[in-house]
Amino acid sequence: MGLRSNFVTLLPLFLLLVSNAKGQSAAGGGVFDVTSFGAKPNGDITGPLLVAWKDACASTTPSKVLIPKGSYGLSQSNLKGPCKSPIELQIEGTLQASPDPKGDGLLLLEYIDQLTVSGTGVLDGQGKAGWEKNDCHLKKICTKLPMTLKLNFITNSIVKDITSLDSKNYHINLLGCKNLTIDHVTITAPENSPNTDGIHVSSSEQINILNTNIATGDDCISVGDTNKQIVISDVTCGPGHGISIGSLGKYSKEKEVVGVTVKKCKLTSTTNGVRIKTWPDSVGTFPATDMHFEDIEMVNVSNPIIIDQEYCPWNQCNRKVPSKIKISKVSFKNIRGTSATAVAVKIVCSQSNPCEEVEVADIDLTYSGSEGPIKSQCANVKPVITGKQNPPICGEPAPIDGPSTD
Ligand SMILES: *[C@@H]1O[C@H](CO)[C@@H](O)[C@H](O)[C@H]1NC(C)=O
Ligand SMILES: *[C@@H]1O[C@H](CO)[C@@H](O)[C@H](O)[C@H]1NC(C)=O
């Protein structure tokens, strides 16, 4: 076809036609299919996606950018709002990152209200090429690799059904979001891939993470600093490092965490189950409060229940100075299943800021390995204990300077 072969020379005319068509499509419901903006199967989609996004975002009636089935290359894409109307990005195809690590996010969406990201498509981060360069788990100043889906300052929005595969860094990162739901998303990376957190949330509020399956090399979900009203429900996790609040206190400018509920989750062969972790010698002093974990199933989990205020992997901190983060109003309820280590419940709070109002109820964990009977160790905490307690909660003191979890 003449139009296709002369695509480049005819581009200005083409865009003119498209923007004329836009008026009609906006009136009639507005689907902006990237293939009508020059995206070709197996070709790079970055340019067409940006043009389709700009047109859709300018539409005064609700619009949709559609990436149909097929495989496409994608380079760092920055899709910005604010948009004039609600907007949907429907991904049905597979978007492949370049193996060469570049930029800080593969797909960056920012300053958008009423966004829907949907579709059965795959964001393939092509992580293998990056993981060997990733040393951020080893040192403070490190090579930053691109995350796969970065959501910055997104409000009243939903991300559903998509898959994130083999990210080079975090799979999905939320920053400054409010009222955002992640539903029925799949996240997959190998157990040994560094820093590939499934979903990281910071400086956000009213976030729901629901019905999501995560298998990765780092935390399945990490709730960082400065967060409010976070709900995590019906999530499966494993392999990975579990569901964590923290780590908190590593950097200045961090603010409080208030209101995190983790419920109806299943963790399988993870290195931690549900965890709160803060750094000793922390820069910030702020509270972390109102955090609840309930109806959780553990299968072969190494540290099923853990508060670790001595979190200091690879000796990146001064372990002698206790954490200044104040933890309070925490509950662990109805947590059952199997532990892969003997110390199944470990609550190690700060010597200078002991945990307060910790409640532990109906814990039923078993351990069948060779380290002796199942047990629970505690420091600087006096929890209220009710219901079943297997192991006996806080049956022994935690060793001073015990090993850090990862
Ligand atoms: C949250 O966002 C959803 C999806 O856009 C919307 O339907 C709902 O009204 C919002 N809730 C609040 C409290 O703004
Ligand atoms: C238990 O989990 C460990 C990883 O922590 C894994 O290597 C091992 O294969 C798992 N065992 C079973 C029986 O699943």
Side-chain angles (χ1 to χ4, degrees):
M1 295 227 304
L3 183 62
R4 271 174 195 262
S5 55
N6 288 314
F7 179 73
V8 174
T9 47
L10 290 173
L11 191 61
L13 172 64
F14 176 71
L15 292 179
L16 186 69
L17 290 172
V18 167
S19 48
N20 283 345
K22 185 190 68 186
Q24 294 162 10
S25 62
V31 177
F32 297 77
D33 183 331
V34 291
T35 57
S36 14
F37 289 80
K40 296 200 186 76
N42 302 313
D44 190 282
I45 204 178
T46 312
L49 175 60
L50 189 60
V51 181
W53 175 266
K54 281 189 172 154
D55 279 5
C57 186
S59 165
T60 52
T61 56
S63 61
K64 179 195 280 190
V65 173
L66 174 66
I67 301 171
K69 284 205 185 320
S71 186
Y72 311 90
L74 182 70
S75 305
Q76 187 179 14
S77 289
N78 188 349
L79 308 183
K80 272 187 204 275
C83 297
K84 293 220 163 88
S85 264
I87 187 164
E88 179 166 352
L89 174 61
Q90 185 182 344
I91 304 169
E92 298 298 340
T94 295
L95 305 182
Q96 283 197 317
S98 135
D100 188 21
K102 259 195 233 102
D104 68 343
L106 176 62
L107 185 55
L108 168 65
L109 294 156
E110 56 184 359
Y111 305 107
I112 307 159
D113 185 44
Q114 300 184 70
L115 165 74
T116 301
V117 178
S118 66
T120 56
V122 178
L123 296 170
D124 179 355
Q126 295 280 314
K128 257 193 202 110
W131 295 328
E132 59 211 41
K133 300 196 175 97
N134 192 331
D135 51 5
C136 293
H137 53 307
L138 303 179
K139 35 189 204 201
K140 219 164 179 168
I141 294 164
C142 56
T143 319
K144 288 257 189 280
L145 296 169
M147 300 177 187
T148 290
L149 177 60
K150 287 189 80 170
L151 302 167
N152 292 349
F153 311 101
I154 304 292
T155 51
N156 304 309
S157 294
I158 180 159
V159 175
K160 60 183 184 187
D161 305 330
I162 57 165
T163 293
S164 175
L165 177 69
D166 292 346
S167 183
K168 292 191 177 76
N169 196 324
Y170 296 180
H171 284 84
I172 300 179
N173 190 70
L174 272 53
L175 174 73
C177 295
K178 185 170 179 184
N179 184 25
L180 179 124
T181 296
I182 295 181
D183 191 8
H184 194 251
V185 162
T186 303
I187 293 172
T188 309
E191 185 170 5
N192 60 0
S193 56
N195 277 91
T196 53
D197 291 40
I199 301 173
H200 179 73
V201 184
S202 69
S203 302
S204 293
E205 59 183 284
Q206 294 174 47
I207 306 300
N208 302 302
I209 301 172
L210 315 172
N211 309 306
T212 284
N213 299 329
I214 306 173
T216 193
D218 206 306
D219 293 338
C220 286
I221 298 174
S222 50
V223 175
D225 64 282
T226 326
N227 281 309
K228 268 191 244 179
Q229 283 178 269
I230 313 291
V231 175
I232 297 165
S233 177
D234 298 278
V235 167
T236 65
C237 165
H241 295 179
I243 297 175
S244 274
I245 298 173
S247 56
L248 302 175
K250 188 176 184 183
Y251 303 102
S252 54
K253 291 189 186 160
E254 292 184 11
K255 293 200 186 75
E256 63 193 18
V257 174
V258 182
V260 180
T261 300
V262 179
K263 61 185 181 192
K264 294 192 278 176
C265 295
K266 181 174 178 179
L267 296 102
T268 305
S269 296
T270 50
T271 56
N272 303 283
V274 289
R275 173 167 62 156
I276 301 170
K277 51 180 175 176
T278 77
W279 291 79
D281 195 17
S282 40
V283 192
T285 47
F286 55 88
T289 187
D290 196 8
M291 300 173 282
H292 307 283
F293 305 88
E294 60 187 76
D295 304 327
I296 314 277
E297 189 182 346
M298 305 284 178
V299 181
N300 182 37
V301 169
S302 294
N303 299 289
I305 297 175
I306 177 165
I307 294 180
D308 183 4
Q309 292 211 262
E310 295 177 351
Y311 178 75
C312 183
W314 307 90
N315 283 317
Q316 295 175 76
C317 68
N318 179 1
R319 287 162 151 275
K320 299 273 177 287
V321 182
S323 175
K324 296 185 203 94
I325 311 296
K326 179 80 181 176
I327 292 178
S328 66
K329 296 197 175 78
V330 180
S331 67
F332 297 100
K333 290 183 180 168
N334 188 27
I335 298 181
R336 63 209 174 274
T338 56
S339 176
T341 65
V343 184
V345 180
K346 194 167 166 180
I347 306 180
V348 176
C349 296
S350 166
Q351 202 182 356
S352 60
N353 290 278
C355 297
E356 278 170 15
E357 294 179 74
V358 175
E359 211 187 323
V360 185
D362 296 308
I363 306 301
D364 192 3
L365 295 165
T366 59
Y367 168 67
S368 58
S370 57
E371 298 165 19
I374 189 163
K375 54 195 169 186
S376 162
Q377 297 177 336
C378 298
N380 308 308
V381 61
K382 291 193 185 79
V384 172
I385 303 161
T386 56
K388 195 158 189 143
Q389 39 163 330
N390 189 19
I393 304 305
C394 300
E396 51 183 71
I400 312 265
D401 273 346
S404 210
T405 53
D406 54 6

